[in-house]
Amino acid sequence: MQNPLSRARTTARRTLMVVSAKGGVGKSTVTMNLAAALTARGLKVGIFDADLHAPNIPALLGIRQKNRLTEGRSAAAMFAVEARPDSLDMRPLPAVQRYGMGVMSLGLFVGEAQAITPDAAEVGNLIAMLLHRVDWGGADLLLIDMPPGTGEPLNTLIKQRLIDAALVVALRENLSHLDNGRLIGLLRKKYVPILGVVENMTHVICPNCGEKIDLYPAPAAEQAVYRDAPILGELPFHPHLIRQNRVGKPIPLADPESPAAKALLALADAVSERMQITPAAPPLDEDDCVDCP
């Protein structure tokens, strides 16, 4: 029997992983808000949370999971990596719908205070297996929110050719650039196309006078590590980010006229253009078929 992990990649048309070698740069927040901006532009978008140890996408979207996995229903039992691949449960899982976007995360299966600690060698296959199982309903673009670093599941997803391109998130801060240099070197070695760089929390806008206040001193455009990788966006810090895990509403929906929302929509346009994605045409209704007999 064919190994189910070697079947077609995903049911989404294109995949873009959002990556950063350094934690704490707001990668999950960028992923979620970019997905909302792409949705606002008419694309059908999915979000896959590939972080096994800190699956935060559900919480950012206001989805709370209080129920813990029991010992008889452990993560290993749900997504077992076994010697016989034909024994794996690969039935399709429907993506959870939130604000017009499809969402899947291990955080939907475990309690929000519960840690999952599989063997290190299994991490990549666990995440890849979950990704393979999700029915994205023919999404135009699937955003994959990756954990920080250059380990798993990054290497497994690349090896299984599940990635079309990578979007690198950076702060204008030297340690962020230093770590991203290692990540970019790995991506280039593995021939993963780098779509570009998005700078997060670059500045704040004074609500009283409108003055732009820069937060970090080292723009990505001045860093050699990002050579040949265009800067696709500069996202300002927005007060809504502080309330995100309580409100659960993306900035393009919560404050569509804000500078942050406009920056996200501009980023969505840049991503769509560089990935050459347009909304899939809806099915033709019989009443619209002018040439039908």
Side-chain angles (χ1 to χ4, degrees), residues 14-39:
R14 304 293 300 279
T15 57
L16 174 66
M17 65 176 178
V18 183
V19 295
S20 175
K22 190 167 185 61
V25 301
K27 179 173 43 53
S28 296
T29 306
V30 169
T31 302
M32 183 268 299
N33 283 298
L34 172 59
L38 289 162
T39 301

Side-chain angles (χ1 to χ4, degrees), residues 60-72:
L60 287 173
L61 288 167
I63 303 172
R64 308 295 297 272
Q65 176 58 277
K66 297 290 189 179
N67 296 327
R68 293 172 56 87
L69 281 178
T70 63
E71 291 184 2

Side-chain angles (χ1 to χ4, degrees), residues 19 25 37 49 54 100 145 158 169 183 196 200 216 220 263 267 286:
V19 295
V25 301
D49 187 350
D145 179 34
I158 293 174
V169 179
L183 173 61
N200 193 30
Y216 295 93
L267 174 62
E286 291 184 0

Side-chain angles (χ1 to χ4, degrees), residues 6-293:
S6 65
R7 64 180 190 170
R9 303 187 316 161
T10 73
T11 58
R13 292 169 58 197
R14 304 293 300 279
T15 57
L16 174 66
M17 65 176 178
V18 183
V19 295
S20 175
K22 190 167 185 61
V25 301
K27 179 173 43 53
S28 296
T29 306
V30 169
T31 302
M32 183 268 299
N33 283 298
L34 172 59
L38 289 162
T39 301
R41 290 304 200 211
L43 292 175
K44 188 175 183 179
V45 181
I47 307 175
F48 181 75
D49 187 350
D51 196 330
L52 183 76
H53 301 293
N56 292 324
I57 288 294
L60 287 173
L61 288 167
I63 303 172
R64 308 295 297 272
Q65 176 58 277
K66 297 290 189 179
N67 296 327
R68 293 172 56 87
L69 281 178
T70 63
E71 291 184 2
R73 190 169 170 268
S74 65
M78 292 167 58
F79 305 109
V81 180
E82 301 180 8
R84 291 179 57 239
D86 57 307
S87 68
L88 302 177
D89 184 356
M90 298 300 291
R91 289 173 296 180
L93 289 170
V96 174
Q97 298 299 311
R98 188 70 166 168
Y99 299 117
M101 304 176 289
V103 181
M104 182 53 66
S105 167
L106 192 62
L108 298 173
F109 297 91
V110 302
E112 60 185 29
Q114 187 175 13
I116 298 299
T117 56
D119 292 341
E122 294 183 353
V123 170
N125 280 338
L126 281 170
I127 294 299
M129 196 181 308
L130 178 58
L131 177 56
H132 275 290
R133 285 189 62 180
V134 181
D135 181 3
W136 298 104
D140 298 307
L141 179 62
L142 175 63
L143 297 182
I144 303 179
D145 179 34
M146 299 295 296
T150 57
E152 292 294 351
L154 176 69
N155 290 286
T156 295
L157 298 188
I158 293 174
K159 183 179 180 180
Q160 294 189 14
R161 300 181 180 180
L162 291 167
I163 306 300
D164 288 318
L167 178 67
V168 180
V169 179
L171 296 183
R172 291 180 170 179
E173 190 268 332
N174 288 328
L175 289 180
S176 173
H177 301 321
L178 177 65
D179 291 346
N180 275 341
R182 300 183 179 99
L183 173 61
I184 288 175
L186 172 64
L187 295 176
R188 287 176 172 152
K189 181 179 179 180
K190 299 293 186 180
Y191 302 102
V192 177
I194 299 173
L195 195 72
V197 180
V198 53
E199 297 180 294
N200 193 30
M201 297 182 284
T202 57
H203 60 278
V204 294
I205 304 295
C206 176
N208 296 320
C209 66
E211 179 187 0
K212 178 182 176 182
I213 304 171
D214 292 328
L215 296 178
Y216 295 93
E222 299 177 3
Q223 311 303 314
V225 298
Y226 303 115
R227 66 186 185 280
D228 302 324
I231 310 302
L232 299 185
E234 302 174 3
L235 304 182
F237 183 82
H238 191 282
H240 179 71
L241 299 175
I242 302 173
R243 304 185 295 270
Q244 187 71 64
N245 63 346
R246 290 189 292 109
V247 178
K249 200 170 188 179
I251 290 175
L253 301 178
D255 194 0
E257 298 302 318
S258 68
K262 293 176 181 178
L264 284 160
L265 289 169
L267 174 62
D269 292 338
V271 167
S272 300
E273 180 179 358
R274 290 187 63 81
M275 294 203 73
Q276 300 180 339
I277 298 175
T278 56
L284 188 65
D285 188 87
E286 291 184 0
D287 294 337
D288 298 328
C289 185
V290 294
D291 296 325
C292 295

